[in-house]
Amino acid sequence: MKPFIKQAFVVSGAALNIVGHGCAHGYPAVLFSQIKSDGGPVTLTDHDMSWIASAVGVMGILGNFISPIFMTRYGRQKAHLICTVPALLGWVVFVLGNSVPLFLFARILHGLALGLRTPLAAILVAEYTEPRYRGAFLGTFAISLGLGILLAHLWGSYMSWKMTAVVCSVFPIIAMAIISLSPESPSWFVSKGKFDQAKKSFRWIRGEGPEQTEELELMIRAQEIEMVKSDIHDRKKIKLNTLFGSVFDSIKAAMRVFKKKEFYKPLVIAICMLIVFEFGGAHMVPAYGNLILQSVLDKDDPKDVAWQFTVMDFLRTICALLAIFLLKNVKRRTILFTSGVFTVLSLTLISVFIYLRKYEILTHSWLLDTVPMILMIFYTVSFCLGLVPLNWVICGEVFPLTYRSLGSTLSTSFLTPAFVVSMKTAPHFYSSIGVEGAFLVYSGTLTVCLLIMYAILPETKDRTLQDIEDSFKGRKQLDVEVQLSLMGKDNIVK
């Protein structure tokens, strides 16, 4: 079996999990509309619906902090398997549940699965795949998310909300089977000093060519340096038996990590990327798309924007597919800042258009009928073609091996609060300052984050993870053999 096929097999487990999470993001629209129109087993208030929609983010925070423990202690493969369990249980609760508390419990389980998976998914692809395929594989996550949202909406149009939940539960089941057959990450074996197992896993996934051998040896030798440094630090460290001394040492160790350029720069980049992803509309548009389209298109009835909403769902998926070819052939920075500029521009133009229409500066009927949807298509393409897939790619590429679990957890811990804040505040923004005012706030937020990333984000396309780490450290090329010879263990210990 060719290495590419093996890598695709491993990545498909993560992709199917994300399709399931996409279904979870699109499912509330199905649940709410059917219960409201058919009477359902319960009566849902606006307060109930807002909490059911945003409950995913509340439990996601806990999942973000549990995930690195599983990743570090048990390995990437077992952690990945664990994160599918609450996703499956969430669908089971939806099938069996008929009350608001059970709906909330199901969404909390989905939130836990999302929180566990978010720091893990990008790391999985970054560690399992070759640099030349990494961008394309990471780009499939955006396709998977968009496909899940689209499928949930389509199935919900023809099936009951309970049957929709049954069908959606298939994705975590298949993902569990694929993950069970996948090997452990060679990078995790290296981080634990299990170099023989790392070589076996690496060769199964990546093959045995000269480039692959060089990358593996470089990774092992870089880890040997880190182990030597850690051993020296442990020998020099003063042992304090008091509780205060132990806590003080832990704080000092944490502060040393945060002062390292190879840690804090990727952390800032990842946080900015996740904020752009959330406040750019990755989750708000699928959840509140009807409200947004009613305001932009100046319609009173949600049924009047049904086909436009479907068009945006299809565009989201098509753009994610096209993004794979962009990620394969175009530099990351070029995609990021081109997509970012056009997304900010589209949000601003939509806002300006609504203000001009509101104050009756624009009165031509053909403009009022055609321009709004053109602007929404412009926004959807701009955002989904670059910023959405790059969220997974950049967050998976920038963190060094030593701090990959910690950095991914700290950065993604900002995603779930941002998710809750955006989902809870969006309806209030729309009713107070209007969609046009909210879009100006979002465009300003995106502009600040993009400027920060413009200043500190290096180009990562087709570079090994070790090479990217070295660029943050300020090294043009890491020559670990020279370092080992200069830093010989006997000399360093002295």
Side-chain angles (χ1 to χ4, degrees), residues 351-472:
S351 179
V352 170
F353 178 85
I354 295 175
Y355 279 121
L356 292 176
R357 184 181 63 200
K358 182 181 292 185
Y359 292 106
E360 298 183 353
I361 297 175
L362 291 178
T363 56
H364 296 288
S365 59
W366 68 272
L367 283 175
L368 300 178
D369 292 337
T370 58
V371 172
M373 192 58 195
I374 291 174
L375 290 176
M376 287 302 299
I377 292 173
F378 178 38
Y379 155 74
T380 303
V381 172
S382 299
F383 183 59
C384 296
L385 202 55
L387 294 180
V388 173
L390 275 177
N391 172 65
W392 309 102
V393 174
I394 290 176
C395 290
E397 290 181 333
V398 293
F399 286 108
L401 175 61
T402 308
Y403 313 115
R404 194 163 295 155
S405 295
L406 175 62
S408 181
T409 299
L410 289 176
S411 60
T412 52
S413 67
F414 282 80
L415 177 62
T416 41
F419 174 87
V420 174
V421 169
S422 63
M423 295 293 277
K424 289 291 288 181
T425 58
H428 300 290
F429 273 152
Y430 302 157
S431 61
S432 58
I433 60 176
V435 168
E436 60 273 24
F439 275 19
L440 284 180
V441 173
Y442 300 149
S443 63
T445 303
L446 265 61
T447 299
V448 172
C449 292
L450 288 167
L451 287 173
I452 293 172
M453 288 190 287
Y454 186 82
I456 62 175
L457 174 68
E459 182 55 58
T460 61
K461 185 180 183 298
D462 295 335
R463 297 172 68 183
T464 66
L465 299 180
Q466 188 62 53
D467 188 25
I468 296 169
E469 177 181 341
D470 294 338
S471 69
F472 284 117

Side-chain angles (χ1 to χ4, degrees), residues 163-282:
M163 280 305 302
T164 302
V166 170
V167 178
C168 291
S169 68
V170 171
F171 293 113
I173 292 173
I174 299 174
M176 290 175 75
I178 293 174
I179 295 164
S180 299
L181 298 172
S182 301
E184 181 52 75
S185 163
S187 295
W188 182 77
F189 281 132
V190 168
S191 71
K192 295 298 180 181
K194 300 178 179 180
F195 300 135
D196 290 337
Q197 291 169 275
K199 291 176 182 178
K200 183 179 179 181
S201 175
F202 189 92
R203 287 165 182 161
W204 186 89
I205 299 169
R206 304 280 292 277
E208 300 186 52
E211 292 182 6
Q212 288 80 3
T213 301
E214 181 183 358
E215 182 182 348
L216 175 61
E217 292 301 322
L218 188 62
M219 183 167 56
I220 290 174
R221 289 168 182 167
Q223 182 62 20
E224 287 175 340
I225 292 175
E226 292 296 330
M227 292 170 69
V228 170
K229 290 180 179 178
S230 177
D231 181 62
I232 296 163
H233 177 70
D234 289 342
R235 293 189 185 194
K236 290 184 176 181
K237 186 173 64 177
I238 299 174
K239 301 293 184 180
L240 299 174
N241 295 323
T242 64
L243 176 62
F244 176 79
S246 179
V247 172
F248 185 69
D249 281 350
S250 298
I251 294 173
K252 285 175 62 180
M255 292 304 296
R256 280 195 296 270
V257 172
F258 277 90
K259 290 179 181 179
K260 294 183 177 181
K261 289 187 293 185
E262 66 268 29
F263 179 78
Y264 73 76
K265 283 187 176 181
L267 181 63
V268 171
I269 291 167
I271 289 173
C272 287
M273 197 68 238
L274 290 166
I275 291 173
V276 166
F277 177 74
E278 195 58 54
F279 286 91

